[in-house]
């Protein structure tokens, strides 16, 4: 039952008040009795005094009476006698005025009064007798008077003794009351001592001790002992205070733990960010990340990091902490979907288990109870890069905060992995690119010569053809004439052959001997081309958005030539996006629909209507091409880039390569919005 | 023996003139020249040649266009066409099996003898 402190204090005060009333009342009663006894004693003493005076008075009355017999008495004697009688009567009256405690007292005093009156009358009789001496009557009266006086004095003595005994009784009673009073005081003192001790104990137990306990606990907690708890088993406000205090400590401890965890988390993230800036190999980065990560919170200091390498859909263990050689062998390579890590990689979500369940497919001999966090590492482009695997104590409680933290770690690792991959590939890509660019420049140069050669060939070989035909005619006409004429014609013919040979050599510059055509996958070619100039996209802040359909039919092309085509187009796109932008790359298959140049039923057409083709669209968000220039972009030496950036042959070469493959290139562009290049290729 | 009718379509007027002169000199051919490719179809329709020598690079319709147009006509579609070109060499003819769009072709400049050899080969077909 809950009793409030105020009720308890109220109860204590009530008891104290009752005790005070009892004590006061007792004292009052005893004191009153004492006063009464005192009064009685006083009266009794007064009575004793009066009785003694009365005894003396009575004796005195008897004596003058005797003197009456003596001759020569004077009338003065009577007067003195009467005064004496007046005194005695006065005393009797006074005694009778005092309240009697007993009936006997009244009877005795009445009896004394009666004797006195008899004595007085006898004395007066004697006095009235003259010549009493020798008078028999007088002698008899004197004897009677003595007897009466003796009786009266004896009665007075009896009365006195009676009063004395009564006095003693009162005295005894008074003493008893005094004792009783002392006893009451003593009991009161004892009761008060007990009460005060009880009160002290009560307050110590219910108020003082709990508060001191609270204070001490608070001090211990303040000094860092967060395990301390207040132990108050009271069912009152202080008990409640203790409960609230414990609740507060729990909250404080949770909050402190929270702060500590946050501090730890921050520390780990900082360390990860720091190693992300260090120039160390990726595997070392992963190893360090595990060292930082595994002691975190209640997590067991064990784990591994998997990466997706050359083989898609397979996780490869790249770094581990405290894993046994057996586990390292079993988990060296984990396909997506298998075991907890594979499931995390497949779903792209954190996989948590607080014990070994049926999802934990990779089991081994002597496996001890544990749980796992498997955290997928996903790139910005939503590519699955790998999985972080952490061991947990069995029964570990997962929470959103932990998951959030692990996501952050995975994101940092994703950044590091991607950057390292780029870095590792950058050198190779740089050299590859440089080579490709050199080749491109060379090809452009050759193509320029080729373009020139073609033009020269057409313009020169036609006249040569006419001259040759003319010389042939003249030879025939003048076959039998002058030897010199024939020799001259022969010289001309030789010169024509020589001139033609020079043109053929020129044409050789532009002609690639043969296309190395084979069945190829367009998406692979696109990816390879992208890799070559990936650094340019990053540099120019160009975001690549791919929409490449899988399972496209194979195309019949020269892989290297096609890569040259796409690199050319990508470079043009990047250069058109000075302030960054988006590059959409789409590949799909379709049937040729509307008839246009090179599409239709004509002899020289590359494609028939309804023919299935592979289409690549490369669309940028760059500056676009002015309407009046669209028609010129494929012309050799046409450029908008300035002399330092391009030869003006890129698109010309591109179109030539495509035409060599009997493929098409089309351009759609809107100024300040972007350009779309559409490439149509024939399938195997 | 009836002379074979050769139609030569080339924007180079002097070349057509010389080829006509050389072929007719042999006495076995009747040669008609056409220097405007846009009139090629009409010329063929009217002349009904046994073989057409067709230049590829011409202003207006090019050789390919003309060949395609000829294919559209019942009476002309079976006439053998030999392309003439100044920008392809003989060794490249082999690499393309000597055909452009299903037609044989010869590179300029060409001697009369070689021209006649080619004409005879394709007419016989």
């Amino acid at each position: 039952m809950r009793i409030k402190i105020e009720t308890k204090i109220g109860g204590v005060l009530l008891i104290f008040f009752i005790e005070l009333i009892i004590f006061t009342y007792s004292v009052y009663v005893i004191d009153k009795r004492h006063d009464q006894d005192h009064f009685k004693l006083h009266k009794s003493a007064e009575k004793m005094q009066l009785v003694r005076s009365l005894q003396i008075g009575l004796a005195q009355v008897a004596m003058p009476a005797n003197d009456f017999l003596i001759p020569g008495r004077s009338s003065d004697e009577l007067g003195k006698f009467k005064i004496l009688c007046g005194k005695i009567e006065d005393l009797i009256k006074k005694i009778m005025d005092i309240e009697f405690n007993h009936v006997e007292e009244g009877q005795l005093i009445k009896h004394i009064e009666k004797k006195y009156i008899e004595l007085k009358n006898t004395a007066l009789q004697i006095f009235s007798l003259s010549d009493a001496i020798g008078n028999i009557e007088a002698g008899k009266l004197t004897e009677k008077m003595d007897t009466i006086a003796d009786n009266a004095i004896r009665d007075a003595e009896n009365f006195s003794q009676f009063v004395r005994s009564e006095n003693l009784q009162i005295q005894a009673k008074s003493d008893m009351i005094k004792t009783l009073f002392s006893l009451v005081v003593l009991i009161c003192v004892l009761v008060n001592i007990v009460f005060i001790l009880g009160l002290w104990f009560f307050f110590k137990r219910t108020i003082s001790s709990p508060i001191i306990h609270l204070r001490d606990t608070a001090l211990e907690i303040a000094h860092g002992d967060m395990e301390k708890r207040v132990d108050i088993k009271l069912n009152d406000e202080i008990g409640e205070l203790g409960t609230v205090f414990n609740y507060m400590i729990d909250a404080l401890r949770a909050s402190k733990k929270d702060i500590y965890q946050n501090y730890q988390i921050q520390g780990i993230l900082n360390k990860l960010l720091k190693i992300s800036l260090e120039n160390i190999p990726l595997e070392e980065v992963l190893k360090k990340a595990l060292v930082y990560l595994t002691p975190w919170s209640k997590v067991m200091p064990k784990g591994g990091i998997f990466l997706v390498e050359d083989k898609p859909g397979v996780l490869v263990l790249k770094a581990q902490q405290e894993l046994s050689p057996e586990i390292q062998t079993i988990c060296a390579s984990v396909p997506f979907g298998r075991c907890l890590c594979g499931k995390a990689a497949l779903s792209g979500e954190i996989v948590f288990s607080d014990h070994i369940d049926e999802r934990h497919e990779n089991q081994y001999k002597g496996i001890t109870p544990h749980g796992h966090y498997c955290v997928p590492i996903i790139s910005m482009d939503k590519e699955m890069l790998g999985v972080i695997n952490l061991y947990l104590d069995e029964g570990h409680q997962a929470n959103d905060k932990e998951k959030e933290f692990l996501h952050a770690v995975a994101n940092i690792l994703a950044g590091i992995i991607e950057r390292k991959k780029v870095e590792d590939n950058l050198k190779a890509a740089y050299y590859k690119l440089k080579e490709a660019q050199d080749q491109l420049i060379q090809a452009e140069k050759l193509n320029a010569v080729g373009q020139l050669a073609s033009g020269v060939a057409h313009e020169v070989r036609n006249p040569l053809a006419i001259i040759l035909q003319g010389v042939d005619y003249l030879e025939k006409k003048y076959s039998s004439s002058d030897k010199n004429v024939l020799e001259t014609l022969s010289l001309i013919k030789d010169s024509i052959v020589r001139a033609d040979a020079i043109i053929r050599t020129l044409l050789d510059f532009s002609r690639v001997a043969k296309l190395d055509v084979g069945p190829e996958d367009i998406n692979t070619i696109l990816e390879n081309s992208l890799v070559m100039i990936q650094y340019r996209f990053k540099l120019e802040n160009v975001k690549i958005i791919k929409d490449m359909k899988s399972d496209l039919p194979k195309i019949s092309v020269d892989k290297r030539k096609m890569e040259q085509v796409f690199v050319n187009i990508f470079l043009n796109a990047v250069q058109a996006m000075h302030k960054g932008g988006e590059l959409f790359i789409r590949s799909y298959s379709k049937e040729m629909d509307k008839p246009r140049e090179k599409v239709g039923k004509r002899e020289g057409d590359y494609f028939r209507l309804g023919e299935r083709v592979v289409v690549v669209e490369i669309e940028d968000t760059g500056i676009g091409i002015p309407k009046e220039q669209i028609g010129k972009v494929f012309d050799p030496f046409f450029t908008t880039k300035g002399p330092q950036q391009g030869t003006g042959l890129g698109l010309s070469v591109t179109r030539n390569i495509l035409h060599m493959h009997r493929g098409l290139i089309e351009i759609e562009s809107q100024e300040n919005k972007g350009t779309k290049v559409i490439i149509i290729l024939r399938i195997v | 023996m009836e002379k074979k009718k050769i139609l030569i379509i080339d924007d180079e007027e002097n070349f057509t003139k010389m080829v006509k002169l050389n072929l007719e000199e042999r006495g076995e051919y009747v040669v008609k020249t056409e220097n405007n490719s846009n009139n090629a179809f009409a010329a063929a329709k009217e002349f009904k040649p046994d073989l057409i020598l067709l230049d590829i690079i011409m202003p207006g319709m090019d050789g390919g266009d003309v060949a395609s147009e000829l294919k559209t006509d019942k009476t002309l579609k079976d006439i053998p066409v030999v392309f003439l070109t100044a920008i392809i060499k003989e060794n490249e003819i082999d690499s393309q099996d000597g055909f452009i769009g299903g037609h044989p072709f010869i590179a300029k400049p060409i001697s009369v003898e070689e021209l006649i050899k080619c004409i005879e080969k394709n007419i016989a077909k």
Side-chain angles (χ1 to χ4, degrees):
Chain A
M1 195 184 79
R2 185 181 177 279
I3 303 167
K4 286 183 177 179
I5 287 184
E6 59 188 66
T7 315
K8 287 177 181 175
I9 292 173
V12 167
L13 287 176
L14 186 67
I15 292 167
F16 185 71
F17 187 64
I18 290 168
E19 194 225 21
L20 195 68
I21 287 172
I22 293 169
F23 177 71
T24 311
Y25 182 72
S26 305
V27 169
Y28 168 73
V29 169
I30 290 166
D31 190 50
K32 202 176 169 189
R33 284 302 289 269
H34 180 71
D35 283 354
Q36 279 176 355
D37 290 345
H38 188 73
F39 181 70
K40 278 181 185 171
L41 278 173
H42 178 72
K43 286 291 173 191
S44 177
E46 197 184 340
K47 260 190 261 180
M48 293 272 284
Q49 188 66 37
L50 288 171
V51 169
R52 211 168 285 129
S53 299
L54 185 64
Q55 277 178 313
I56 294 163
L58 286 171
Q60 282 175 338
V61 168
M63 277 191 297
N66 287 331
D67 290 345
F68 289 163
L69 298 174
I70 301 162
R73 72 180 184 256
S74 67
S75 58
D76 292 350
E77 299 284 340
L78 187 66
K80 282 180 186 172
F81 179 75
K82 280 187 179 171
I83 290 167
L84 192 62
C85 284
K87 277 184 183 173
I88 289 170
E89 281 163 18
D90 196 38
L91 278 171
I92 290 171
K93 192 175 178 291
K94 271 186 183 169
I95 291 169
M96 288 182 75
D97 280 348
I98 296 169
E99 191 189 344
F100 296 128
N101 290 325
H102 297 281
V103 186
E104 290 91 334
E105 277 181 54
Q107 286 172 346
L108 271 173
I109 204 72
K110 284 246 170 61
H111 199 253
I112 290 167
E113 191 185 13
K114 203 172 148 188
K115 291 282 189 238
Y116 158 70
I117 291 164
E118 208 176 332
L119 184 67
K120 184 185 162 185
N121 288 337
T122 310
L124 283 174
Q125 268 180 352
I126 296 167
F127 196 74
S128 61
L129 295 175
S130 49
D131 307 325
I133 297 168
N135 190 334
I136 299 164
E137 183 79 8
K140 281 182 183 175
L141 282 172
T142 304
E143 279 178 19
K144 186 187 169 187
M145 194 182 69
D146 283 345
T147 309
I148 292 167
D150 284 347
N151 280 344
I153 288 165
R154 201 167 47 247
D155 282 348
E157 184 60 34
N158 281 346
F159 184 84
S160 176
Q161 276 188 355
F162 194 87
V163 170
R164 196 176 295 124
S165 92
E166 191 191 54
N167 200 2
L168 281 173
Q169 273 181 13
I170 291 167
Q171 192 70 48
K173 209 172 168 185
S174 175
D175 286 349
M176 199 184 76
I177 282 169
K178 271 184 189 168
T179 311
L180 188 67
F181 181 76
S182 301
L183 200 66
V184 165
V185 168
L186 186 68
I187 289 170
C188 266
V189 167
L190 285 175
V191 164
N192 272 336
I193 287 171
V194 169
F195 183 75
I196 285 165
L197 280 174
L199 207 61
W200 171 77
F201 180 74
F202 174 77
F203 279 114
K204 184 176 155 61
R205 199 181 80 82
T206 58
I207 296 174
S208 171
S209 293
I211 286 173
I212 288 169
H213 176 59
L214 261 177
R215 182 200 63 190
D216 292 348
T217 313
L219 271 174
E220 281 177 89
I221 288 160
H223 285 108
D225 187 357
M226 297 303 282
E227 296 300 318
K228 274 282 166 196
R229 283 294 174 280
V230 170
D231 181 23
I232 300 173
K233 291 185 179 68
L234 292 173
N235 202 3
D236 57 12
E237 289 91 333
I238 294 194
E240 282 173 4
L241 182 65
T243 311
V244 172
F245 190 81
N246 282 345
Y247 177 75
M248 188 190 77
I249 298 164
D250 285 341
L252 191 69
R253 191 160 74 158
S255 150
K256 196 176 171 187
K257 194 180 154 194
D258 237 31
I259 291 167
Y260 180 67
Q261 271 193 353
N262 280 344
Y263 170 76
Q264 251 191 330
I265 283 171
Q266 200 56 52
I268 294 169
L269 293 180
N270 279 345
K271 281 179 187 171
L272 286 176
L273 286 173
K274 195 170 164 231
I275 52 168
S276 78
L277 299 173
E278 286 174 14
N279 190 19
I280 48 175
L282 181 58
E283 288 191 17
E284 206 176 313
V285 169
L286 299 181
K287 178 81 191 158
K288 278 193 173 184
L290 270 180
V291 171
Y292 297 149
L293 201 54
T294 43
W296 160 73
S297 187
K298 287 181 183 164
V299 177
M300 285 166 79
K302 265 171 94 170
I305 296 180
F306 295 87
L307 292 185
V308 180
E309 294 201 310
D310 301 336
K311 204 169 166 190
V314 177
L315 294 168
V316 180
L317 184 65
K318 297 302 287 183
Q320 60 84 25
Q321 173 87 351
E322 302 284 326
L323 295 186
S324 69
E326 196 181 359
I327 303 173
Q328 288 184 46
T329 311
I330 293 170
C331 297
S333 151
V334 180
F336 281 21
R338 182 174 171 81
C339 207
L340 298 167
C341 293
K343 285 177 175 62
L346 192 66
S347 65
E349 302 284 340
I350 288 183
V351 171
F352 167 76
S353 77
D354 63 351
H355 66 285
I356 300 164
D357 54 22
E358 70 286 348
R359 294 176 298 165
H360 200 306
E361 291 163 81
N362 279 3
Q363 301 218 2
Y364 44 90
K365 210 177 163 188
I367 193 166
T368 51
H370 65 264
H372 277 295
Y373 261 130
C374 294
V375 190
I377 306 170
I378 303 167
S379 75
M380 294 284 281
D381 302 332
K382 308 283 173 217
E383 187 193 344
M384 183 58 58
L385 300 175
V387 170
I388 306 166
N389 177 313
L390 295 176
Y391 276 65
L392 305 170
D393 293 329
E394 193 180 46
H396 179 85
Q397 300 270 318
N399 63 51
D400 288 348
K401 200 170 156 188
E402 280 182 359
K403 289 184 181 175
E404 215 173 282
F405 162 64
L406 291 171
H407 269 307
V409 170
N411 285 342
I412 291 175
L413 284 184
I416 297 172
I417 292 164
E418 283 209 308
R419 192 171 64 79
K420 288 284 173 193
K421 270 189 182 173
V422 168
E423 272 177 12
D424 289 348
N425 289 333
L426 199 59
K427 279 181 192 166
Y430 172 74
Y431 290 118
K432 199 171 169 185
L433 181 77
K434 200 160 158 42
E435 200 181 333
Q437 277 183 332
D438 289 348
Q439 283 175 356
L440 195 66
I441 289 165
Q442 193 61 22
E444 283 192 7
K445 279 181 187 168
L446 291 178
N447 199 274
V449 176
Q451 293 278 340
L452 193 66
S454 294
V456 169
H458 186 251
E459 295 309 316
V460 177
R461 287 174 111 192
N462 269 320
L464 287 180
I466 297 162
I467 296 166
L468 188 59
Q469 288 290 320
V471 172
D472 272 349
Y473 178 77
L474 289 175
E475 264 184 348
K476 197 158 175 61
K477 276 280 173 195
Y478 300 99
S479 57
S480 55
S481 70
D482 191 346
K483 186 180 140 203
N484 287 339
V485 173
L486 289 175
E487 200 182 331
T488 305
L489 289 174
S490 178
L491 281 172
I492 294 170
K493 231 175 158 177
D494 288 347
S495 299
I496 293 165
V497 171
R498 237 174 72 198
D500 189 41
I502 290 165
I503 290 163
R504 284 171 195 220
T505 318
L506 260 176
L507 281 173
D508 277 338
F509 275 110
S510 64
R511 296 287 195 273
V512 177
K514 258 187 177 180
L515 289 176
D516 186 14
V517 174
E520 303 287 351
D521 173 39
I522 186 66
N523 291 342
T524 309
I525 294 173
L526 280 168
E527 291 290 358
N528 291 344
S529 313
L530 272 173
V531 167
M532 286 189 211
I533 55 162
Q534 210 168 29
Y535 84 101
R536 282 293 297 271
F537 290 133
K538 293 217 165 166
L539 207 64
E540 305 283 352
N541 200 16
V542 172
K543 193 177 170 197
I544 309 290
I545 297 159
K546 296 180 203 167
D547 179 15
M548 287 147 63
K549 297 277 176 292
S550 54
D551 298 318
L552 289 176
K554 295 262 193 254
I555 47 169
S556 181
V557 291
D558 181 331
K559 197 169 70 180
R560 295 205 177 279
K561 288 278 160 207
M562 287 314 295
E563 283 171 5
Q564 191 183 336
V565 163
F566 292 124
V567 167
N568 266 341
I569 295 168
F570 291 154
L571 280 172
N572 281 337
V574 169
Q575 283 163 349
M577 292 188 277
H578 307 295
K579 293 169 186 168
E582 291 174 332
L583 186 72
F584 298 88
I585 301 173
R586 304 181 196 97
S587 65
Y588 54 90
S589 175
K590 71 161 192 175
E591 284 180 3
M592 291 303 280
D593 39 23
K594 56 180 191 284
R596 54 189 183 276
E597 197 190 355
K598 302 290 181 192
V599 181
K601 294 177 180 173
R602 288 167 299 185
E603 196 62 44
D605 287 345
Y606 292 167
F607 299 102
R608 303 276 170 231
L609 284 176
E611 186 180 344
R612 181 147 285 278
V613 291
V614 164
V615 182
V616 176
E617 288 181 8
I618 296 159
E619 189 174 0
D620 65 47
T621 55
I623 52 170
I625 304 164
K627 210 172 175 182
E628 65 274 13
Q629 292 185 356
I630 288 188
K632 299 180 187 170
V633 293
F634 292 115
D635 290 354
F637 306 111
F638 172 82
T639 180
T640 57
K641 297 173 192 169
Q644 298 302 319
Q645 289 203 44
T647 58
L649 286 171
L651 277 176
S652 176
V653 169
T654 298
R655 188 177 64 171
N656 284 358
I657 292 172
L658 285 166
H659 283 184
M660 279 159 73
H661 287 93
R662 297 176 68 76
L664 288 180
I665 179 164
E666 292 166 0
I667 287 192
E668 294 169 10
S669 185
Q670 267 186 294
E671 220 174 341
N672 296 322
K673 283 202 170 166
T675 303
K676 180 152 99 176
V677 179
I678 303 153
I679 288 161
I680 304 165
L681 295 163
R682 55 195 326 113
I683 60 175
V684 175
Chain B
M1 192 181 126
E2 200 177 325
K3 288 182 180 175
K4 288 156 192 168
K5 293 202 272 184
I6 308 291
L7 174 62
I8 173 161
I9 302 161
D10 194 324
D11 57 320
E12 283 285 346
E13 200 182 333
N14 291 342
F15 179 72
T16 55
K17 230 184 234 174
M18 283 314 302
V19 172
K20 182 179 164 72
L21 202 61
N22 275 323
L23 290 180
E24 286 185 345
E25 182 70 20
R26 303 278 163 149
E28 294 165 24
Y29 305 101
V30 179
V31 178
K32 181 179 167 64
T33 62
E34 178 54 63
N35 301 114
N36 184 345
S37 62
N38 294 335
N39 299 334
F41 185 79
K45 193 87 182 154
E46 187 203 328
F47 186 57
K48 292 184 174 55
D50 295 309
L51 184 137
I52 299 170
L53 290 171
L54 184 54
D55 188 19
I56 293 175
I57 300 169
M58 291 182 286
M61 289 173 82
D62 67 14
D65 297 339
V66 173
S68 300
E69 200 181 4
L70 293 174
K71 286 277 177 198
T72 59
D73 190 281
K74 259 197 293 188
T75 57
L76 302 177
K77 70 177 168 55
D78 295 325
I79 298 172
V81 173
V82 174
F83 282 118
L84 291 165
T85 176
I87 59 162
I88 291 181
K89 299 178 295 177
E90 294 93 323
N91 57 353
E92 287 176 336
I93 295 171
D94 296 335
S95 73
Q96 304 208 7
D97 300 328
F99 289 91
I100 293 177
H103 299 287
F105 67 92
I106 49 178
K108 294 183 198 174
I110 186 163
S111 66
V112 177
E113 257 172 73
E114 280 174 286
L115 182 65
I116 288 168
K117 216 188 278 172
C118 185
I119 288 169
E120 285 307 315
K121 185 181 162 192
N122 286 295
I123 281 183
K125 256 174 83 181

